[in-house]
Amino acid sequence: MTAQHTAAQHTASRYSAQAALLGEYADSLLGVFGSPSLVLTHGKGAVVTDADGRDYLDLLAGIAVNALGHAHPRWVEIVSRQLATLGHVSNFFTSPQQIALAGKLLSLAGAPTGSHVFFANSGAEANEAAFKLARRHGHEHPGPDGRPRGTVLALESAFHGRTMGALALTAKEAYRAPFEPLPGGVQHIPATVEALEEHLDGTVAALIVEPVQGEAGVRELPEGYLRRARELTRRHGALLVVDEVQTGVGRTGRWFASAAELTGAELPDAITLAKGLGGGFPIGAMLTVGPEVSALLGAGQHGTTFGGNPPATAAGLATVTVIEEDGLLEHARAVGAELGEGLRAIPGIGAVRQRGLLIGADLEVPEGAAAPFGPAVVEAARDAGFIVNATGPGTLRLAPPLILTQEQARTFLDALPAILRTATAAVTAPAAPAPDTPPKEA
Ligand SMILES: *Cc1c(COP(=O)(O)O)cnc(C)c1O
């Protein structure tokens, strides 16, 4: 298992079978992801293996995607059987899997009769659909001045995806600026109840929020925010769209993170899902709550070739079924709590934000650090046999498979102090002098 690999083993053979493959990667793959750090060849449960045969405990799960870990036997069986039976059919046709998954998602959400599902292939696409839904609402329900509602409110630090529409909803300037002009009408407001009260009026078509901002470092909304957002969007005739792409499908120990505040008559008008939904198979979804919202997008107004095809929806059904049958919501809450508590007890770890198995841990950046600390911790963890993620220079994000065991969680907690020491040494070590520069005399 992972922890049996020493840091030395991992470092010594970094330049081997993988080096050649990574060189080929750089020759043929577009550089948008920078340089991947590993070539992975197989996985089982919460463990993945690289091209040099080394194991890693996967505490990121493909960014909150592999809910059932890698190669889960029941998931593999169901998806394989589907592929061998009927693969793709297009949306001129449907399949029993597609209908079953839509019904299942609506029932898990507790959505009322007249609610519907649109299947896409990713989180960005699910949010594109929600953006179009918001525009339709703006046209169909003009504001008090009789003009279409043109504004979509999103939050500062929000992440909703990278395609042009989703990017318009995403806040980060560095992601947006190179691609302007983006679709208009989006306004980013602070994640406070005061800002909601100030900006929600009859010009607003929709408010889109993540129940927990994953990409921003697992940042929580203020207590009661979603309930207040529900009240105010209703009062002003705007839609409430909740982006559960990262938080949905059990990640936070509930089917929907927003259900902590919004249930029954308070449900959002639309919920988007993706990451964890397919357990590793690409699929996204938008749930439209109630008949009025569902009627906003009619025949011919939106579409996708692949969305909701039989293998993708079979994968979604397999994921949801295993989560349900194996009690993984409870399990995620229990293991998450243990990880959160363990992290809080480790020197060098600051604030810890934990909801189920979505965890953000602030790092105390060492004094005089000459390089970003988060990435240094990610590298030291990798060398020690753990895959983790930094959402910035000072925050570690964990989003492990929901099947992670208590023992596996503990191996990471046990290894973390040494990982932090290695990372600290890496960022504070004086830079080696360039070869042709003679060392300076004291
Ligand atoms: C990852 C993510 C997206 C984008 O999903 P993709 O599948 O990468 O397009 C959108 N919203 C949230 C909250 C996310 O975490």
Side-chain angles (χ1 to χ4, degrees):
M1 253 280 313
T2 55
Q4 277 141 20
H5 288 286
T6 64
Q9 271 179 306
H10 276 274
T11 313
S13 49
R14 173 93 48 82
Y15 303 97
S16 52
Q18 290 191 87
L21 283 166
L22 289 171
E24 286 176 41
Y25 175 99
D27 289 342
S28 54
L29 275 291
L30 197 65
V32 293
F33 301 108
S35 311
S37 57
L38 297 170
V39 179
L40 298 174
T41 56
H42 54 286
K44 193 162 181 48
V47 176
V48 285
T49 306
D50 74 15
D52 292 326
R54 284 186 307 267
D55 289 343
Y56 303 83
L57 184 63
D58 184 2
L59 297 168
L60 186 59
I63 316 185
V65 167
N66 298 93
L68 308 180
H70 301 273
H72 189 284
R74 262 185 293 161
W75 185 93
V76 169
E77 210 261 318
I78 291 167
V79 176
S80 306
R81 188 159 16 97
Q82 186 58 51
L83 284 166
T85 310
L86 182 66
H88 177 76
V89 295
S90 93
N91 283 303
F92 288 126
F93 312 100
T94 184
S95 64
Q97 293 69 33
Q98 188 182 67
I99 297 162
L101 183 59
K104 185 71 192 172
L105 292 176
L106 292 173
S107 117
L108 292 173
T113 314
S115 302
H116 291 79
V117 177
F118 170 78
F119 285 118
N121 311 285
S122 67
E125 276 180 74
N127 288 335
E128 291 285 343
F131 199 165
K132 286 179 76 171
L133 189 80
R135 285 283 202 255
R136 291 292 309 131
H137 178 76
H139 289 291
E140 291 289 310
H141 301 275
D145 62 358
R147 307 225 310 251
R149 296 163 179 267
T151 304
V152 174
L153 297 180
L155 301 189
E156 287 172 2
S157 314
F159 184 83
H160 297 295
R162 304 286 208 126
T163 55
M164 292 300 260
L167 186 57
L169 301 169
T170 291
K172 197 168 174 171
E173 202 47 36
Y175 291 170
R176 302 166 54 89
F179 304 101
E180 284 167 354
L182 297 170
V186 179
Q187 191 182 355
H188 289 95
I189 61 172
T192 64
V193 169
E194 293 72 35
L196 260 189
E197 286 166 350
E198 184 186 334
H199 294 279
L200 254 169
D201 58 26
T203 67
V204 175
L207 165 72
I208 180 165
V209 294
E210 300 156 83
V212 179
Q213 294 183 324
E215 299 303 302
V218 190
R219 287 212 224 153
E220 296 268 1
L221 294 172
E223 175 82 27
Y225 184 94
L226 288 176
R227 261 193 307 270
R228 190 77 181 123
R230 179 67 287 182
E231 259 172 56
L232 289 169
T233 47
R234 283 244 165 94
R235 182 180 309 162
H236 294 285
L239 297 183
L240 174 60
V241 178
V242 175
D243 178 349
E244 295 247 21
V245 167
Q246 185 156 163
T247 53
V249 200
R251 173 56 44 197
T252 69
R254 297 171 186 271
W255 288 110
F256 300 89
S258 57
E261 291 195 12
L262 305 178
T263 53
E266 261 59 67
L267 279 181
D269 298 300
I271 302 174
T272 55
L273 297 171
K275 291 193 167 90
L277 177 57
F281 208 100
I283 183 170
M286 173 177 70
L287 278 58
T288 53
V289 179
E292 229 182 283
V293 177
S294 300
L296 288 170
L297 286 171
Q301 290 190 314
H302 196 46
T304 158
T305 299
F306 291 118
N309 80 9
T313 44
L317 273 175
T319 306
V320 168
T321 304
V322 173
I323 291 175
E324 207 162 41
E325 290 180 0
D326 290 2
L328 293 181
L329 298 184
E330 267 167 46
H331 181 76
R333 287 197 293 272
V335 179
E338 169 149 345
L339 263 173
E341 223 170 280
L343 284 166
R344 283 185 193 101
I346 291 175
I349 298 290
V352 176
R353 296 169 294 281
Q354 175 259 326
R355 270 230 232 164
L357 281 170
L358 183 58
I359 302 170
D362 289 343
L363 299 161
E364 286 165 11
V365 177
E367 224 166 289
F373 192 51
V377 173
V378 169
E379 196 175 323
R382 195 178 61 233
D383 288 345
F386 299 94
I387 292 178
V388 299
N389 168 250
T391 58
T395 303
L396 209 59
R397 172 175 51 175
L398 306 181
L402 307 184
I403 50 128
L404 188 80
T405 65
Q406 308 259 2
E407 296 77 63
Q408 287 171 323
R410 251 176 261 127
T411 61
F412 175 65
L413 293 171
D414 290 345
L416 189 53
I419 290 168
L420 293 176
R421 280 196 297 276
T422 306
T424 301
V427 296
T428 53
D436 53 355
T437 322
K440 282 207 184 84
E441 300 299 325

Coordinates of all heavy atoms in Angstrom, one line a residue, residues 223-308:
E223 N -24.0 31.2 7.1 CA -25.1 30.5 7.6 C -26.4 31.1 7.2 O -26.6 32.3 7.3 CB -25.0 30.5 9.2 CG -26.1 29.8 9.9 CD -26.0 28.3 10.0 OE1 -24.8 27.8 9.9 OE2 -27.0 27.7 10.2
G224 N -27.4 30.3 6.7 CA -28.7 30.8 6.3 C -28.7 31.5 5.0 O -29.8 32.0 4.5
Y225 N -27.6 31.6 4.3 CA -27.5 32.3 3.0 C -28.5 31.7 1.9 O -29.2 32.5 1.3 CB -26.1 32.2 2.4 CG -25.9 33.0 1.1 CD1 -25.4 34.3 1.2 CD2 -26.2 32.5 -0.1 CE1 -25.3 35.1 0.0 CE2 -26.0 33.2 -1.3 CZ -25.6 34.5 -1.2 OH -25.4 35.2 -2.3
L226 N -28.5 30.4 1.8 CA -29.4 29.8 0.8 C -30.8 30.1 1.0 O -31.6 30.3 0.1 CB -29.1 28.3 0.6 CG -27.7 27.9 0.0 CD1 -27.5 26.4 0.0 CD2 -27.7 28.5 -1.5
R227 N -31.2 30.0 2.3 CA -32.6 30.2 2.7 C -33.0 31.7 2.3 O -34.1 31.9 1.8 CB -32.8 30.0 4.2 CG -33.5 28.6 4.4 CD -34.0 28.5 5.9 NE -32.9 28.8 6.8 CZ -32.1 27.9 7.3 NH1 -32.1 26.7 7.0 NH2 -31.2 28.3 8.2
R228 N -32.1 32.6 2.7 CA -32.4 34.0 2.4 C -32.4 34.2 0.8 O -33.3 35.0 0.3 CB -31.3 34.8 3.0 CG -31.6 36.3 3.0 CD -32.6 36.7 4.0 NE -32.8 38.2 4.0 CZ -34.0 38.7 3.8 NH1 -35.1 38.0 3.7 NH2 -34.2 40.0 3.7
A229 N -31.5 33.5 0.1 CA -31.5 33.7 -1.3 C -32.8 33.1 -1.9 O -33.4 33.7 -2.9 CB -30.3 32.9 -1.9
R230 N -33.3 32.0 -1.3 CA -34.6 31.5 -1.8 C -35.7 32.5 -1.6 O -36.5 32.8 -2.5 CB -34.9 30.2 -1.1 CG -36.2 29.5 -1.4 CD -36.2 28.9 -2.8 NE -36.4 29.9 -3.9 CZ -36.6 29.7 -5.2 NH1 -36.6 28.4 -5.6 NH2 -36.7 30.6 -6.0
E231 N -35.8 33.1 -0.4 CA -36.8 34.1 -0.1 C -36.7 35.3 -1.1 O -37.8 35.7 -1.6 CB -36.5 34.7 1.3 CG -37.3 34.2 2.4 CD -36.7 34.7 3.7 OE1 -36.6 36.0 3.9 OE2 -36.4 33.9 4.6
L232 N -35.5 35.8 -1.2 CA -35.4 37.0 -2.0 C -35.6 36.8 -3.5 O -36.2 37.6 -4.2 CB -34.0 37.7 -1.8 CG -33.9 38.3 -0.4 CD1 -32.4 38.7 -0.1 CD2 -34.8 39.5 -0.2
T233 N -35.1 35.6 -4.1 CA -35.4 35.4 -5.5 C -36.9 35.2 -5.7 O -37.4 35.7 -6.7 CB -34.6 34.1 -5.9 OG1 -34.8 33.0 -5.0 CG2 -33.1 34.4 -6.1
R234 N -37.6 34.6 -4.8 CA -39.0 34.4 -4.9 C -39.7 35.8 -4.9 O -40.5 36.1 -5.7 CB -39.6 33.6 -3.7 CG -39.4 32.1 -3.9 CD -40.7 31.4 -4.0 NE -40.4 30.0 -4.5 CZ -40.2 29.0 -3.7 NH1 -40.3 29.1 -2.4 NH2 -40.0 27.8 -4.2
R235 N -39.3 36.6 -3.9 CA -39.9 37.9 -3.8 C -39.8 38.8 -5.0 O -40.7 39.5 -5.4 CB -39.3 38.7 -2.6 CG -40.0 40.0 -2.3 CD -39.4 40.8 -1.2 NE -39.4 39.9 0.0 CZ -38.6 40.2 1.1 NH1 -37.8 41.3 1.1 NH2 -38.6 39.4 2.2
H236 N -38.6 38.7 -5.7 CA -38.3 39.5 -6.8 C -38.5 38.8 -8.2 O -38.2 39.4 -9.2 CB -36.9 40.1 -6.7 CG -36.7 41.0 -5.6 ND1 -37.2 42.3 -5.6 CD2 -36.1 40.9 -4.4 CE1 -36.9 42.9 -4.4 NE2 -36.2 42.0 -3.7
G237 N -39.0 37.6 -8.1 CA -39.3 36.9 -9.4 C -38.1 36.4 -10.2 O -38.2 36.3 -11.4
A238 N -37.0 36.2 -9.5 CA -35.8 35.6 -10.1 C -35.7 34.1 -9.8 O -36.2 33.6 -8.8 CB -34.6 36.4 -9.6
L239 N -35.0 33.4 -10.7 CA -34.7 32.0 -10.5 C -33.5 31.8 -9.5 O -32.6 32.6 -9.5 CB -34.3 31.3 -11.8 CG -35.4 31.2 -12.9 CD1 -34.8 30.4 -14.1 CD2 -36.7 30.6 -12.4
L240 N -33.6 30.8 -8.7 CA -32.4 30.4 -7.9 C -31.8 29.1 -8.5 O -32.5 28.1 -8.6 CB -32.9 30.2 -6.5 CG -31.7 29.6 -5.5 CD1 -30.6 30.6 -5.5 CD2 -32.3 29.3 -4.1
V241 N -30.6 29.3 -9.0 CA -29.9 28.1 -9.6 C -28.8 27.7 -8.7 O -28.0 28.5 -8.3 CB -29.3 28.5 -11.0 CG1 -28.6 27.3 -11.6 CG2 -30.4 29.0 -11.9
V242 N -28.7 26.4 -8.3 CA -27.7 26.0 -7.4 C -26.8 25.0 -8.2 O -27.2 24.0 -8.7 CB -28.3 25.3 -6.1 CG1 -27.2 24.7 -5.3 CG2 -29.1 26.3 -5.3
D243 N -25.5 25.4 -8.2 CA -24.5 24.6 -8.9 C -23.9 23.6 -7.9 O -23.1 23.9 -7.1 CB -23.4 25.6 -9.4 CG -22.2 24.8 -10.1 OD1 -22.2 23.6 -10.0 OD2 -21.4 25.5 -10.7
E244 N -24.4 22.4 -8.1 CA -23.9 21.2 -7.2 C -23.0 20.3 -8.0 O -22.9 19.1 -7.7 CB -25.1 20.5 -6.7 CG -26.0 21.3 -5.8 CD -26.0 20.8 -4.3 OE1 -25.1 20.1 -4.0 OE2 -27.0 21.1 -3.6
V245 N -22.3 20.9 -9.0 CA -21.4 20.1 -9.8 C -20.4 19.4 -9.0 O -20.1 18.2 -9.2 CB -20.8 20.9 -10.9 CG1 -19.6 20.2 -11.6 CG2 -21.8 21.3 -12.0
Q246 N -19.8 20.1 -8.0 CA -18.8 19.5 -7.2 C -19.4 18.9 -5.9 O -18.9 17.9 -5.3 CB -17.7 20.6 -6.8 CG -16.6 20.0 -6.0 CD -15.3 20.8 -6.2 OE1 -14.4 20.7 -5.4 NE2 -15.2 21.6 -7.2
T247 N -20.4 19.5 -5.4 CA -21.0 19.2 -4.0 C -22.0 18.1 -4.1 O -22.3 17.5 -3.0 CB -21.6 20.4 -3.3 OG1 -22.6 21.0 -4.2 CG2 -20.5 21.4 -3.0
G248 N -22.6 17.8 -5.3 CA -23.7 16.9 -5.4 C -23.4 15.4 -5.3 O -22.2 15.1 -5.2
V249 N -24.4 14.6 -5.3 CA -24.2 13.1 -5.4 C -23.4 12.6 -4.3 O -22.5 11.7 -4.5 CB -23.7 12.7 -6.8 CG1 -24.0 11.2 -7.0 CG2 -24.3 13.5 -7.9
G250 N -23.6 13.0 -3.1 CA -23.0 12.4 -1.9 C -21.7 13.0 -1.4 O -21.2 12.6 -0.3
R251 N -21.1 13.9 -2.2 CA -19.8 14.4 -1.8 C -19.8 15.0 -0.4 O -18.8 14.8 0.3 CB -19.4 15.5 -2.9 CG -18.2 16.3 -2.6 CD -16.9 15.6 -2.4 NE -16.7 14.5 -3.4 CZ -15.8 13.5 -3.1 NH1 -15.0 13.5 -2.1 NH2 -15.6 12.5 -4.0
T252 N -20.8 15.7 0.0 CA -20.8 16.3 1.3 C -21.6 15.5 2.4 O -21.9 15.9 3.4 CB -21.5 17.7 1.3 OG1 -22.9 17.6 1.0 CG2 -20.9 18.6 0.2
G253 N -21.8 14.2 2.0 CA -22.6 13.3 3.0 C -24.1 13.4 2.8 O -24.8 12.9 3.6
R254 N -24.5 14.2 1.8 CA -25.9 14.3 1.4 C -26.0 14.1 -0.1 O -25.0 14.4 -0.8 CB -26.5 15.7 1.7 CG -26.5 16.1 3.2 CD -26.9 17.5 3.3 NE -26.9 18.0 4.6 CZ -27.9 17.9 5.5 NH1 -29.0 17.5 5.1 NH2 -27.7 18.4 6.7
W255 N -27.2 13.8 -0.6 CA -27.3 13.8 -2.1 C -27.0 15.1 -2.7 O -26.4 15.3 -3.7 CB -28.7 13.2 -2.5 CG -28.8 11.8 -2.2 CD1 -29.6 11.2 -1.3 CD2 -28.1 10.7 -2.8 NE1 -29.5 9.9 -1.3 CE2 -28.6 9.5 -2.2 CE3 -27.2 10.6 -3.9 CZ2 -28.1 8.2 -2.7 CZ3 -26.8 9.4 -4.3 CH2 -27.2 8.2 -3.7
F256 N -27.6 16.2 -2.0 CA -27.4 17.5 -2.5 C -26.9 18.4 -1.3 O -27.6 18.4 -0.2 CB -28.7 18.1 -3.0 CG -29.2 17.4 -4.2 CD1 -30.1 16.3 -4.0 CD2 -28.8 17.7 -5.5 CE1 -30.6 15.5 -5.1 CE2 -29.3 17.0 -6.6 CZ -30.2 15.9 -6.4
A257 N -25.8 19.1 -1.4 CA -25.4 19.9 -0.3 C -26.4 21.0 0.1 O -26.6 21.3 1.3 CB -24.0 20.6 -0.6
S258 N -27.1 21.5 -0.9 CA -28.1 22.6 -0.6 C -29.2 22.1 0.2 O -29.9 22.9 0.8 CB -28.6 23.2 -2.0 OG -29.2 22.2 -2.8
A259 N -29.4 20.8 0.3 CA -30.6 20.2 1.1 C -30.3 20.5 2.6 O -31.3 20.3 3.4 CB -30.7 18.8 0.8
A260 N -29.1 20.9 3.0 CA -28.9 21.3 4.4 C -29.8 22.5 4.7 O -30.2 22.7 5.8 CB -27.5 21.7 4.6
E261 N -30.1 23.4 3.7 CA -31.0 24.5 3.9 C -32.3 24.5 3.1 O -33.2 25.2 3.5 CB -30.2 25.8 3.7 CG -29.1 26.1 4.7 CD -28.5 27.5 4.6 OE1 -29.1 28.4 4.0 OE2 -27.5 27.7 5.3
L262 N -32.2 23.9 1.9 CA -33.4 24.0 1.0 C -34.0 22.7 0.8 O -33.4 21.8 0.1 CB -32.9 24.7 -0.3 CG -32.2 26.0 -0.2 CD1 -31.8 26.4 -1.6 CD2 -33.1 27.1 0.4
T263 N -35.2 22.4 1.3 CA -36.0 21.2 1.0 C -37.4 21.6 0.7 O -37.8 22.7 1.0 CB -35.9 20.2 2.1 OG1 -36.3 20.9 3.3 CG2 -34.5 19.6 2.3
G264 N -38.2 20.6 0.3 CA -39.6 20.8 0.1 C -40.0 22.0 -0.8 O -39.5 22.1 -1.9
A265 N -40.8 22.8 -0.3 CA -41.2 24.0 -1.0 C -40.1 25.0 -1.3 O -40.2 25.9 -2.1 CB -42.4 24.7 -0.3
E266 N -39.0 24.8 -0.6 CA -37.9 25.8 -0.7 C -36.8 25.3 -1.7 O -35.8 26.0 -1.9 CB -37.2 25.9 0.7 CG -37.6 27.1 1.5 CD -39.0 27.2 1.8 OE1 -39.5 26.3 2.5 OE2 -39.7 28.0 1.2
L267 N -37.1 24.2 -2.4 CA -36.0 23.7 -3.4 C -35.7 24.9 -4.3 O -36.5 25.7 -4.7 CB -36.6 22.6 -4.2 CG -36.6 21.2 -3.5 CD1 -37.1 20.1 -4.5 CD2 -35.1 20.8 -3.1
P268 N -34.4 24.8 -4.8 CA -34.0 25.8 -5.9 C -34.8 25.6 -7.1 O -35.5 24.5 -7.3 CB -32.5 25.4 -6.2 CG -32.1 24.5 -5.1 CD -33.3 23.9 -4.5
D269 N -34.8 26.5 -8.1 CA -35.5 26.3 -9.3 C -34.8 25.4 -10.3 O -35.4 24.8 -11.2 CB -35.7 27.7 -10.0 CG -36.6 28.6 -9.1 OD1 -37.7 28.2 -8.8 OD2 -36.1 29.6 -8.6
A270 N -33.4 25.4 -10.2 CA -32.6 24.5 -11.0 C -31.4 24.1 -10.2 O -30.9 24.9 -9.4 CB -32.2 25.2 -12.3
I271 N -31.0 22.8 -10.4 CA -29.8 22.3 -9.8 C -28.9 21.7 -10.9 O -29.5 20.9 -11.7 CB -30.2 21.2 -8.7 CG1 -31.1 21.8 -7.7 CG2 -28.9 20.6 -8.1 CD1 -31.6 20.7 -6.7
T272 N -27.7 22.0 -10.9 CA -26.8 21.4 -11.9 C -25.9 20.4 -11.2 O -25.4 20.6 -10.0 CB -25.9 22.4 -12.6 OG1 -25.2 23.2 -11.7 CG2 -26.8 23.3 -13.5
L273 N -25.6 19.3 -11.9 CA -24.7 18.2 -11.4 C -23.8 17.8 -12.4 O -24.0 18.0 -13.6 CB -25.6 17.0 -11.1 CG -26.7 17.1 -10.0 CD1 -27.6 15.8 -10.0 CD2 -26.1 17.2 -8.6
A274 N -22.7 17.2 -12.1 CA -21.7 16.5 -13.0 C -20.8 15.7 -12.3 O -21.1 14.6 -11.9 CB -21.0 17.6 -13.9
K275 N -19.6 16.2 -12.0 CA -18.5 15.5 -11.4 C -18.8 14.1 -10.9 O -18.5 13.1 -11.5 CB -17.8 16.3 -10.4 CG -17.0 17.5 -11.0 CD -16.1 18.2 -10.0 CE -15.2 19.2 -10.7 NZ -15.6 20.5 -10.8
G276 N -19.3 14.0 -9.7 CA -19.5 12.7 -9.0 C -20.6 11.8 -9.7 O -20.7 10.6 -9.4
L277 N -21.4 12.4 -10.5 CA -22.6 11.7 -10.9 C -22.4 10.4 -11.7 O -23.0 9.4 -11.5 CB -23.5 12.7 -11.8 CG -24.8 12.1 -12.4 CD1 -25.7 11.6 -11.4 CD2 -25.5 13.2 -13.2
G278 N -21.4 10.4 -12.6 CA -21.1 9.3 -13.4 C -20.0 8.3 -12.8 O -19.7 7.3 -13.4
G279 N -19.5 8.7 -11.6 CA -18.5 7.9 -11.0 C -17.2 7.7 -11.9 O -16.5 6.8 -11.7
G280 N -17.0 8.7 -12.8 CA -15.9 8.6 -13.7 C -16.2 8.6 -15.1 O -15.4 8.9 -16.0
F281 N -17.5 8.4 -15.4 CA -18.0 8.5 -16.8 C -18.5 9.9 -17.0 O -19.2 10.4 -16.1 CB -19.1 7.5 -17.0 CG -19.3 7.0 -18.4 CD1 -18.8 5.7 -18.8 CD2 -19.9 7.8 -19.4 CE1 -18.8 5.3 -20.1 CE2 -20.0 7.4 -20.7 CZ -19.5 6.1 -21.1
P282 N -18.1 10.5 -18.1 CA -18.6 11.9 -18.3 C -20.1 12.0 -18.4 O -20.7 11.4 -19.3 CB -17.9 12.3 -19.6 CG -16.8 11.3 -19.9 CD -17.3 10.1 -19.2
I283 N -20.7 12.8 -17.5 CA -22.1 13.1 -17.6 C -22.4 14.4 -16.7 O -21.7 14.6 -15.7 CB -23.0 11.9 -17.1 CG1 -24.5 12.2 -17.2 CG2 -22.6 11.5 -15.7 CD1 -25.4 11.0 -17.0
G284 N -23.3 15.2 -17.2 CA -23.7 16.3 -16.4 C -25.3 16.3 -16.5 O -25.9 15.6 -17.3
A285 N -25.9 17.1 -15.6 CA -27.3 17.2 -15.6 C -27.8 18.5 -15.0 O -27.1 19.1 -14.2 CB -27.9 16.0 -14.7
M286 N -28.9 18.9 -15.5 CA -29.6 20.1 -14.9 C -31.0 19.6 -14.6 O -31.8 19.1 -15.4 CB -29.7 21.2 -15.9 CG -30.6 22.4 -15.4 SD -30.8 23.8 -16.4 CE -31.7 23.2 -17.8
L287 N -31.4 19.8 -13.3 CA -32.7 19.5 -12.8 C -33.5 20.8 -12.8 O -33.0 21.8 -12.3 CB -32.7 18.9 -11.4 CG -32.4 17.4 -11.2 CD1 -31.1 17.1 -11.8 CD2 -32.4 17.1 -9.7
T288 N -34.7 20.8 -13.5 CA -35.5 21.9 -13.4 C -36.7 21.6 -12.5 O -37.4 20.6 -12.7 CB -36.1 22.3 -14.8 OG1 -36.6 21.2 -15.4 CG2 -34.9 22.8 -15.7
V289 N -36.9 22.4 -11.5 CA -37.9 22.1 -10.5 C -39.3 22.7 -10.7 O -39.4 24.0 -10.8 CB -37.3 22.6 -9.1 CG1 -38.3 22.3 -8.0 CG2 -36.0 21.9 -8.8
G290 N -40.2 21.9 -10.9 CA -41.6 22.3 -11.1 C -41.9 22.6 -12.6 O -41.0 22.8 -13.4
P291 N -43.2 22.6 -12.9 CA -43.6 22.7 -14.3 C -43.3 24.0 -15.0 O -43.0 24.1 -16.2 CB -45.2 22.4 -14.3 CG -45.6 22.6 -12.8 CD -44.4 22.4 -12.0
E292 N -43.4 25.1 -14.2 CA -43.2 26.4 -14.8 C -41.8 26.6 -15.3 O -41.6 27.1 -16.4 CB -43.6 27.5 -13.8 CG -44.5 28.5 -14.4 CD -44.8 29.6 -13.3 OE1 -45.6 29.4 -12.4 OE2 -44.2 30.7 -13.4
V293 N -40.9 26.3 -14.4 CA -39.4 26.4 -14.8 C -39.1 25.4 -15.9 O -38.4 25.8 -16.9 CB -38.5 26.1 -13.6 CG1 -37.1 26.2 -14.0 CG2 -38.8 27.2 -12.5
S294 N -39.6 24.2 -15.8 CA -39.3 23.2 -16.8 C -39.8 23.6 -18.2 O -39.3 23.2 -19.2 CB -40.0 21.9 -16.4 OG -39.5 21.4 -15.2
A295 N -40.9 24.4 -18.3 CA -41.5 24.8 -19.5 C -40.7 25.9 -20.2 O -40.9 26.2 -21.4 CB -42.9 25.3 -19.3
L296 N -39.7 26.5 -19.5 CA -38.9 27.6 -20.1 C -38.1 27.2 -21.3 O -37.8 28.0 -22.2 CB -38.0 28.2 -19.0 CG -38.7 29.0 -17.9 CD1 -37.7 29.4 -16.8 CD2 -39.3 30.3 -18.6
L297 N -37.6 25.9 -21.3 CA -36.8 25.4 -22.4 C -37.7 24.4 -23.2 O -37.9 23.3 -22.7 CB -35.5 24.8 -22.0 CG -34.4 25.8 -21.5 CD1 -33.2 25.1 -20.9 CD2 -33.9 26.7 -22.7
G298 N -38.2 24.8 -24.3 CA -39.1 23.9 -25.1 C -38.4 23.2 -26.2 O -37.2 23.3 -26.4
A299 N -39.1 22.4 -27.0 CA -38.6 21.6 -28.1 C -37.7 22.5 -29.0 O -38.2 23.5 -29.4 CB -39.7 20.9 -28.8
G300 N -36.5 22.1 -29.3 CA -35.7 22.8 -30.2 C -34.9 23.9 -29.6 O -34.0 24.5 -30.3
Q301 N -35.1 24.2 -28.3 CA -34.4 25.4 -27.7 C -33.0 25.0 -27.1 O -32.3 25.9 -26.7 CB -35.3 26.1 -26.7 CG -36.4 26.8 -27.4 CD -37.2 27.7 -26.5 OE1 -37.5 27.2 -25.3 NE2 -37.5 28.9 -26.9
H302 N -32.7 23.8 -26.9 CA -31.4 23.4 -26.4 C -31.2 21.9 -26.9 O -32.1 21.2 -27.3 CB -31.3 23.5 -24.9 CG -29.9 23.5 -24.4 ND1 -28.9 24.2 -24.9 CD2 -29.4 22.8 -23.4 CE1 -27.8 24.0 -24.3 NE2 -28.0 23.1 -23.3
G303 N -29.9 21.5 -26.9 CA -29.6 20.1 -27.3 C -28.2 19.7 -27.1 O -27.4 20.5 -26.7
T304 N -27.9 18.5 -27.3 CA -26.6 17.9 -27.2 C -26.6 16.5 -27.9 O -27.7 15.8 -27.9 CB -26.1 17.7 -25.8 OG1 -25.1 16.7 -25.7 CG2 -27.3 17.2 -24.9
T305 N -25.6 16.2 -28.6 CA -25.5 14.9 -29.3 C -25.4 13.7 -28.3 O -26.1 12.7 -28.3 CB -24.4 14.8 -30.3 OG1 -24.7 15.8 -31.3 CG2 -24.3 13.5 -31.0
F306 N -24.4 13.9 -27.4 CA -24.0 12.8 -26.5 C -24.9 12.7 -25.3 O -25.0 11.7 -24.6 CB -22.6 12.9 -26.1 CG -21.6 12.7 -27.2 CD1 -20.7 13.7 -27.5 CD2 -21.4 11.4 -27.8 CE1 -19.7 13.5 -28.5 CE2 -20.5 11.2 -28.8 CZ -19.6 12.3 -29.1
G307 N -25.3 13.9 -24.8 CA -25.9 14.0 -23.5 C -26.9 12.9 -23.1 O -27.9 12.7 -23.8
G308 N -26.6 12.2 -22.0 CA -27.5 11.3 -21.4 C -27.6 10.0 -22.2 O -28.6 9.2 -22.2

